[in-house]
Amino acid sequence: MNKAIPTLGFFDAITQAANNIVKFNGRARRSEYWWVKLMVILFGIFLTPVSGFILDLVTIPLTFRRLHDTGRSGWWWGAGALLKVGFIVFLVAEIIMVGIDVANSTFVGCGLPFVWTFLAKYTIWALLILAYNVMMLVFMCMDSEPYENEYGESPKYVDDDEEL
């Protein structure tokens, strides 16, 4: 059984992604993922950041399928979402607590130790998020598993005797 590698151009990738826009199961090739991400980035630059953000939300199922293509659970995306949401929640909660303390004139932490502690905490959060993003970049750049995995048949490697 020989494996052939069919090509997937820009329009084919966009069409395939659009046809599977809410499909979390299955697999997606690198080309499908990166062509769509390029389009989302360009829309975000040339239209508005809000439109880019909304389009980025629409690519969540595609990210799940891309992770499946490398043999990983789509919930790797969820781990990053939790990390980012946690960062925002803790930062906002800390800012609110400082605001309440200042309003009640009970804030005594306004010195260099407070600033260093604040910076250290959120630098660690930011480094964790950066490490996660680098790891996800590596995952998204990895080649497809050539054979069927628990998420389905490979969309990239097909039998020569099958129609491309």
Side-chain angles (χ1 to χ4, degrees):
M1 169 167 51
N2 287 334
K3 295 285 185 177
I5 303 175
T7 59
L8 190 64
F10 175 76
F11 293 108
D12 293 332
I14 300 301
T15 302
Q16 194 163 333
N19 289 338
N20 297 312
I21 199 160
V22 293
K23 183 179 173 190
F24 283 84
N25 58 345
R27 295 169 64 172
R29 294 177 55 181
R30 272 186 301 196
S31 52
E32 179 183 351
Y33 177 81
W34 287 111
W35 280 123
V36 170
K37 286 304 258 187
L38 174 65
M39 186 183 75
V40 167
I41 290 168
L42 291 175
F43 275 125
I45 291 171
F46 293 113
L47 293 177
T48 64
V50 172
S51 64
F53 176 74
I54 291 169
L55 283 172
D56 208 27
L57 289 176
V58 172
T59 65
I60 294 170
L62 175 62
T63 304
F64 269 59
R65 291 193 318 275
R66 179 68 200 121
L67 286 163
H68 291 168
D69 196 42
T70 64
R72 288 170 179 76
S73 169
W75 290 108
W76 276 99
W77 177 90
L82 287 175
L83 192 61
K84 293 169 189 171
V85 167
F87 174 84
I88 292 168
V89 166
F90 281 104
L91 181 62
V92 168
E94 189 152 7
I95 290 170
I96 289 171
M97 294 308 291
V98 167
I100 289 170
D101 285 347
V102 168
N104 292 334
S105 300
T106 59
F107 184 68
V108 292
C110 130
L112 204 52
F114 171 77
V115 171
W116 285 115
T117 303
F118 183 84
L119 288 175
K121 263 194 280 191
Y122 293 102
T123 299
I124 291 169
W125 271 100
L127 289 174
L128 286 171
I129 291 170
L130 176 66
Y132 167 81
N133 286 333
V134 168
M135 179 188 67
M136 285 297 286
L137 178 64
V138 169
F139 289 168
M140 296 298 118
C141 290
M142 292 177 76
D143 195 11
S144 302
E145 287 189 334
Y147 301 102
E148 181 177 1
N149 65 20
E150 65 184 289
Y151 304 104
E153 283 288 328
S154 173
K156 179 178 180 180
Y157 298 100
V158 296
D159 292 334
D160 272 344
D161 49 341
E162 291 180 14
E163 187 155 332
L164 300 177

